[in-house]
Structures are given as structure tokens and as C-alpha cells.
Amino acid sequence: MLRKDRIRLWGVLAVIVVALVWSWPIVGKLNLGLDLKGGAHIVLQAKDTPDNPIGNDGIDRLVAVLRNRVDQFGVAEPLIQKSGEDRVIVDLPGVQDPAAALELIGKTALLEFREVLDQSESAPPAPQRANYDSDEQFTRAQERWKTAAESSENALPRFEERAKTVEGAIVSRGEGDRHVYYLLGRALVTGKDLKKAGLNPDSLGRMGVSISFNDEGAKAFEEATGRLVGKQLAIVLDGVTISAPVVQDRIAGGNAQITGRFTTDEATRLAIMLNAGALPVEVDVAENRSVGPSLGADSVRQGLHAGLIGGGLVFVFMLIYYRFKGLAADVALAVTLLLVFTGLIAFHSTLTLPGIAGIILTIGMAVDGNVLIYERIQEELRSGKTPLAALDSGFRKALVTILDSNITTLIAALVLFYFGTGSVRGFGVTLSIGLVASVFSNVVVTRAFLQLFVSTKKHALKQN
């Protein structure tokens, strides 16, 4: 072998080793899409209201806030995209708790601090039969509870009438107990002045969320707490009163604590929502579909079976038809697949079902390139050239055709990537990486191993 051929061979071996080190083990490093890994598929419908009409700017800000929330939630490779003029599609691969994800995404997270103007009586917890000795006692307890609940419910229309006479006032129900209503004054401080939110359990071990305001919010909060000493200040999230503590003293510095009936996960989601900001428009959940991991596993298994059978047949055909040259083609094909998966991992791309189709198409393109090269070499051998001369001439003549076919396909794949969305874009990414890997394997890997085989065979003949 010539020096340049040895350098090419060592270069190919180095690329293979680096690719193996980078990508092995593939499981765990390769991001799988929603259709392979399972997860949540959510479609949000923006609501057009007179106070907050839908516009392109509003939908763009909605997508930005959703992306911020999902990123902080820690979902790998989410898909968040506009659909039409008033819808947003959110795909969350690998999410194990779709209900929690929906709560995180669908809540507006509008935080407000309001003065409590009035509060209905709180109904006691509903009686439980196990706590009473007889049915008669239980029935009387139920009647008392219904009377208390109805008394609280009757406060709702009275509060609604009074709210109409106070500027900025609203009626809010209490969190966790639908029989408590609050008549609240105008918003004194809102989440737009929020600087940071984080988990912070209180001295009793109850999970809460600590918040800090910017300078403007801190000043407004200090004025509000100074004016309301000895009175209730309600913490309202999306129209629901989380808590309504009595202000003991003026609070300076712009720091506060939200406590309620939070679990750690709920408090974490609330902190994420507050940090990401409120949704700029109201939304309804138009579609909430969960893709089970088992369906994704079936897709992966069937895709692997199809790939192994198809790839195995191609390997066998190349060996039978081209004999020892087919072995070089098979090695190049294996290197192509290795480089495809390495590229997907390196670029943090997501493999989807259409992406698997892109890989299979890549195998076809790689085989086509090798067939083209080998037929050129056969023509050169039939013209009387030596094996090494035929190999060099065959590669040189096939190169233009290989580049031409792959570049035109690559342009189409890049167009799909640029203009496509979701799985179409994933197909474009996989096909683009596959085409680059295929050309490298055809032109460099196949040639390096063919020259090694031919040189080894020639050396063996000389020794005999």
C-alpha cells in the first residue's frame, strides 16, 4: 500500500474508534421521539377575548412561555410549535405523569396579591359514616353539613353583586374547599413584578414557594402590607385564593412566602410557572393524548426487526454478488450506520419513526453508491487494467455521480428540515446525517478497505 493509502486507512480506523467511544452505549444517549418513547401530546387552543385578543405576537409569546416552562421542567427534546393561527402543539417525550405536565402547561399562572374585603363561612368537612355510631347520627350530621355548605354557597351571589360596586374587585373561591368564597379588592401586586421564585418549606415543614419582587414590586408590596396590618391579604393564583394570611407587620425588602396545601411536586411546578411567567393569553386544552411506552417499545422492536432483516439481506447479497469486495461494502455500510447514530447523538437530535425510515433510505443510498463504484471497477478490469489501477479509476469515475445524487437528495432533506415541523423535520435531520455518512463511507471507507484487501491478496499471491 502507498503511504497515502495507509494514512487513509488509519484515518478511517480513527474515525470508527472515536464514533464508538462517543456513541457507545447507544441506549440512553440517543433521544427517542414521542412515537418511540411514549409521552404526552397536548394541543392548546388560545381563547380570543375582548380584553386579550389573539394575535401573532400573543401566540409567539405563548410559545416562548411554554418553552421556558417545559425546559425548566426538565423534558428532553420537547416539541412546541404553532398550529394554525390560534393553536399550539406540545409534545413531551418520556413524560411519566401526563396530568402533572398538563397542569404545568395549561395553567395561566397569573399571580396576584389582593386585599380581602369579605369572606364566607367555611363549611366543615363532609361527615364520614365510620365516625358515627348509628345511621341516625350520621344522617343528622349530613343535614347539618348541607345547611352549612348551602349558607356558604349563598354568599356567592351576594359577593358577586358587591364586586360590581368596587373597582377592580373579584370573587374568588378558596383552594381545596369549594365552599369558601372571598370578595377581593383590586390587585395590589402582580406576578409581572416577580424577580424569582423557589422552593422553601416553612418552619412547620409545610412545602411553600418563596418569591422575591423587583424594585417596583417590592415598593408596592411594602405599601400594601403597611396599609393592611391586622387585615387579610389574599394570594391569588389564576383566580383561586391559595391562602389569605393576616398581615402582622409591614414587609420590606420584597420577599414573601406562598404556603398552601402543596406537595413537593406541586410546589416545584408552581415555582417553575412563576419563574417562566404567566401565559399571555388564556388557553383551553383542545387535545390531551398520552402515548404509552409500550406502543413506543413495539414501534422500536418492529423497526429493529425490519432494519435487521433488510440490512442482513443487503449484507448477504453484497457478499454473494461481489465476494471479497462485498465484504468491504458491508464494512462501509456498518460504518455508515455507526456514523448516523453518532451524528444523532452529537447533534442531540431525536429519533422518530420517520427518522427510522430515513435511516433505511440511507442504507439504500449507501448500497447504491457501492454498486455504482463496483460496476465502474468491473468495467475497468474488463478493459485490461490491473486491480489497483481499476480500483483507482473506478472510484474517480463514480465520484461525480455519487456526489451528484447525494447532494440533490441532501438539498431536499435540508428543505424538509428548514420548512418542516415535528416528525417531518426529524426525517430531514436523520436523512441529512445519513447522506453525509453515506458519502464518507462510499468514498473513503470502502476505498480504504478495498485497497487493504487487494494489497493483501496481491501480497499473498506473490508469496505463493
Side-chain angles (χ1 to χ4, degrees):
M1 292 178 67
L2 300 176
R3 183 172 180 272
K4 66 175 183 180
D5 297 331
R6 288 197 297 272
I7 293 176
R8 182 186 294 115
L9 180 60
W10 281 110
V12 169
L13 294 175
V15 169
I16 294 173
V17 171
V18 170
L20 282 172
V21 172
W22 185 272
S23 60
W24 193 263
I26 292 177
V27 177
K29 289 185 176 180
L30 183 63
N31 295 322
L32 299 180
L34 186 68
D35 48 1
L36 298 180
K37 192 175 184 180
H41 172 81
I42 301 169
V43 180
L44 299 177
Q45 172 77 55
K47 295 170 67 176
D48 192 9
T49 62
D51 296 333
N52 200 3
I54 298 174
N56 287 333
D57 180 60
I59 298 299
D60 289 341
R61 285 187 290 125
L62 174 62
V63 171
V65 172
L66 290 173
R67 187 174 300 284
N68 199 357
R69 288 186 183 184
V70 171
D71 287 345
Q72 294 186 50
F73 194 52
V75 177
E77 293 297 317
L79 172 65
I80 304 172
Q81 61 182 4
K82 292 191 291 186
S83 176
E85 296 181 351
D86 57 357
R87 286 193 170 198
V88 176
I89 296 174
V90 182
D91 284 347
L92 304 174
V95 168
Q96 303 296 323
D97 188 353
L102 182 61
E103 183 182 3
L104 175 75
I105 291 171
K107 272 193 172 181
T108 303
L110 177 60
L111 178 68
E112 297 172 316
F113 289 80
R114 292 174 178 264
E115 179 184 0
V116 178
L117 302 178
D118 203 350
Q119 175 183 345
S120 69
E121 294 293 332
S122 175
Q128 303 294 321
R129 177 62 184 88
N131 295 330
Y132 297 90
D133 296 330
S134 65
D135 291 340
E136 184 180 355
Q137 291 178 349
F138 178 60
T139 302
R140 287 201 296 270
Q142 281 186 312
E143 291 174 351
R144 290 195 299 272
W145 178 80
K146 287 180 181 177
T147 301
E150 289 173 359
S151 174
S152 180
E153 290 288 344
N154 291 335
L156 178 60
R158 288 190 289 106
F159 285 177
E160 289 176 339
E161 286 299 321
R162 291 175 59 188
K164 295 177 183 176
T165 63
V166 181
E167 183 180 357
I170 64 169
V171 178
S172 168
R173 66 175 176 82
E175 185 194 37
D177 190 342
R178 65 187 181 89
H179 297 292
V180 177
Y181 293 96
Y182 296 87
L183 176 60
L184 305 176
R186 64 180 177 84
L188 302 173
V189 188
T190 66
K192 70 180 179 60
D193 295 320
L194 193 68
K195 186 168 64 177
K196 186 180 179 182
L199 288 181
N200 188 20
D202 63 12
S203 57
L204 299 177
R206 296 175 301 184
M207 190 53 65
V209 177
S210 62
I211 56 177
S212 59
F213 295 103
N214 56 24
D215 293 341
E216 186 178 349
K219 182 179 178 181
F221 191 66
E222 183 178 357
E223 290 177 355
T225 53
R227 184 171 64 81
L228 297 176
V229 172
K231 298 180 180 178
Q232 283 181 287
L233 179 64
I235 303 172
V236 185
L237 183 67
D238 289 345
V240 177
T241 299
I242 303 298
S243 63
V246 176
V247 179
Q248 302 295 334
D249 201 354
R250 176 189 293 269
I251 301 175
N255 296 313
Q257 173 92 351
I258 302 175
T259 56
R261 301 171 183 176
F262 297 127
T263 63
T264 302
D265 290 339
E266 290 171 342
T268 301
R269 290 196 293 272
L270 177 57
I272 290 174
M273 287 188 288
L274 294 178
N275 281 321
L279 299 184
V281 295
E282 293 185 48
V283 297
D284 284 333
V285 178
E287 183 179 349
N288 177 23
R289 179 163 51 86
S290 296
V291 179
S294 58
L295 179 60
D298 287 342
S299 301
V300 172
R301 187 172 59 254
Q302 292 173 1
L304 284 176
H305 285 170
L308 289 174
I309 293 173
L313 291 175
V314 171
F315 272 58
V316 172
F317 170 79
M318 295 299 286
L319 281 176
I320 294 175
Y321 195 78
Y322 292 109
R323 300 187 179 180
F324 82 94
K325 290 195 291 290
L327 182 60
D330 289 345
V331 172
L333 196 57
V335 173
T336 301
L337 292 175
L338 174 63
L339 294 180
V340 169
F341 285 110
T342 303
L344 290 173
I345 293 172
F347 291 111
H348 304 290
S349 301
T350 300
L351 181 63
T352 61
L353 276 177
I356 293 178
I359 292 175
I360 293 174
L361 182 57
T362 296
I363 294 174
M365 296 289 289
V367 172
D368 183 60
N370 280 324
V371 169
L372 187 63
I373 291 169
Y374 288 172
E375 291 304 316
R376 290 288 188 187
I377 293 175
Q378 296 287 15
E379 289 176 3
E380 298 301 320
L381 288 172
R382 284 195 289 270
S383 68
K385 291 184 178 178
T386 62
L388 283 176
L391 189 151
D392 182 67
S393 180
F395 268 97
R396 189 159 27 83
K397 291 182 177 178
L399 179 62
V400 175
T401 307
I402 292 173
L403 291 178
D404 179 62
S405 62
N406 281 276
I407 288 175
T408 52
T409 309
L410 180 62
I411 292 173
L414 292 176
V415 170
L416 288 176
F417 171 75
Y418 187 79
F419 292 102
T421 58
S423 56
V424 174
R425 194 172 190 180
F427 175 78
V429 171
T430 309
L431 183 58
S432 299
I433 295 174
L435 289 171
V436 174
S438 171
V439 171
F440 174 78
S441 296
N442 285 154
V443 178
V444 181
V445 177
T446 303
R447 183 166 185 167
F449 281 97
L450 267 182
Q451 285 180 321
L452 174 65
F453 294 160
V454 171
S455 298
T456 304
K457 186 177 179 181
K458 184 178 178 182
H459 182 70
L461 290 174
K462 282 183 179 179
Q463 286 185 336
N464 293 332

